[in-house]
Amino acid sequence: MSRASLLKQQDNQFIHPWDDIQQIGDNQRTLLRHGEGVYIEDSDGNRLLDGPAGMWCVNIGHGRQEMAQAIYDQVMELAYASPWYVATGPSAEFASRLAALSPGDLNHVFFTTCGSTAIDSALRFVQFYNNVLGRPQKKKIIAQKKGYHGSTYLAGSVSGKERDKSYLDFATDLVYHIDAPHPLNKPEAMSDEDFLKHCVGNLESAILELGPENCAIFVAEPILASGGLIVPPEGYHQGCLEVCRKYDVLYLSDEVVTAFGRMGHVFASEEVFGIQPDLITTSKGLTSGYIAMGAFLVSDRLLQEMRESADAQGIDTAVFSNGFTYSGHPVAAAAGMKNLDIMERENLFARVRETGPYLQQQLQSLRDIPIVRDVRGKGLMACVECELIQGEDDLEMDYNIGNRIDKHCQALGLMVRPLINMCVMSPPLTITHEQIDDLVSMLRRGIEAAMQECIEEGIYHLDVARAG
Ligand SMILES: Cc1ncc(COP(=O)(O)O)c(C=O)c1O
């Protein structure tokens, strides 16, 4: 048996995220063995352009020797230290660099192990904040349908993807979901201005329904990523922040995906969306996925308010009893700093401000393919949404079109992230114009091949599409 076959067999013991219980032990995943720049290579030696950059995370690209060296050097210097009792150079320095790069007064950093624990810790911090402020009833979390914030109990509870809710339990008493601000849901007769008002109004209505005195925080991704790359109407986040301020509700911007260059800036909240949230969560591009790390940043204002409130109540100690053995791991912090050095040295932020619009523009050329329903995105995040539905009862078939496209694209040399009927892309920030052209051309051929297959199977009819 070849090594690749053996490994595929052994992978049957690995329960992957989102595994279907019926399919554990029946693994059909592509086995990857190597990565370099924007490319990855499978166990048969096929080279694939890494369309999703792993999982929206390998922002500086694969195989950076400098990253390996930084990780190695830190392991040899000091592999671990307890964040409870001591400080280390890399975590202290990294926190201070992040604080300097963050918007406004978000000057303090709580390190975690990933995006889910960043969200979880940030939300627990907000519960703690309201308790210290003497308003323990102010606990409701308002989040968005189709939002994704992770897989701890609390992060899973604030996530709003309906399809992920079956057979699991959630903190439903704490969380209230409002509609995602999806421009595709705008009624044709409604103006853009009215649609914006409607979306922001959803947040205000939720706060009024729950009672402002019960609402702690609004959680939003600047762009809903795995919920289908939903780019809200311009002004949405500013409008929501104003509503939050009006009712004394905090605003958490979940930048697990959008930070570290994906939008052409270190953080997107202020520079792209014009808001200074109270908290930001991040992960993924923080270390470009070379090693696990997450963080939440919190404003001086919240810390100050807590101190003042504690003083006023004569509370001597109010301990935020939340943390992880690996909070501020020195090796992860060293990797994070090297990652940032590389991004700054190679001007990756400015580069994305140029390649991002180019990717968006080139992808628009796919609109002429009959099954393409929408092409959308911002920065180096994009989505091509396809539609097969021609009757009333083909919904499941529509759900599989992403997998079909992915299969054809992989054969052509492109890895896309199939998400139901969408192909989602977030390539490494180092991608060149030529590689973008290549990506778009392979995607076109992959979508056309999947469509042709559906025509041959009699589940898609071009004449119906044209008549429609
Ligand atoms: C916006 C957002 N928040 C949080 C998370 C959870 O991050 P992690 O998978 O690192 O726990 C993700 C993961 O994809 C995400 O996209």
Side-chain angles (χ1 to χ4, degrees), residues 437-452:
D437 292 344
D438 221 22
L439 181 157
V440 175
S441 146
M442 285 189 279
L443 188 57
R444 167 175 286 282
R445 283 180 285 149
I447 297 173
E448 286 175 345
M451 181 179 78
Q452 190 54 37

Side-chain angles (χ1 to χ4, degrees), residues 66-216:
E66 280 176 86
M67 288 294 282
Q69 192 65 48
I71 289 168
Y72 172 89
D73 288 346
Q74 187 56 43
V75 168
M76 296 313 291
E77 187 69 21
L78 178 69
Y80 177 77
S82 164
W84 270 259
Y85 311 117
V86 294
T88 67
S91 51
E93 209 179 323
F94 196 31
S96 133
R97 262 178 97 175
L98 292 176
L101 291 167
S102 69
D105 68 338
L106 274 83
N107 286 330
H108 287 85
V109 184
F110 187 94
F111 286 116
T112 69
T113 52
C114 63
S116 305
T117 48
I119 286 282
D120 200 286
S121 293
L123 293 175
R124 294 196 78 202
F125 183 85
V126 169
Q127 293 175 335
F128 171 72
Y129 162 83
N130 278 317
N131 288 339
V132 173
L133 260 60
R135 43 192 203 187
Q137 82 293 348
K138 204 166 167 64
K139 290 288 161 54
K140 293 275 184 198
I141 302 163
I142 303 174
Q144 295 168 310
K145 291 179 188 166
K146 293 187 188 293
Y148 181 69
H149 303 286
S151 280
T152 62
Y153 188 60
L154 196 48
S157 298
V158 285
S159 296
K161 290 167 75 180
E162 268 315 307
R163 283 166 64 89
D164 297 343
K165 297 279 176 184
S166 49
Y167 300 106
L168 282 165
D169 293 339
F170 299 97
T172 41
D173 51 334
L174 270 185
V175 185
Y176 185 98
H177 288 103
I178 59 171
D179 283 342
H182 198 332
L184 279 188
N185 294 341
K186 178 178 87 66
E188 236 170 81
M190 194 185 260
S191 70
D192 290 349
E193 206 184 345
D194 284 347
F195 183 62
L196 173 63
K197 273 193 204 143
H198 165 77
C199 295
V200 173
N202 283 337
L203 175 62
E204 184 155 20
S205 306
I207 294 174
L208 293 174
E209 186 184 327
L210 298 166
E213 70 285 4
N214 299 317
C215 293

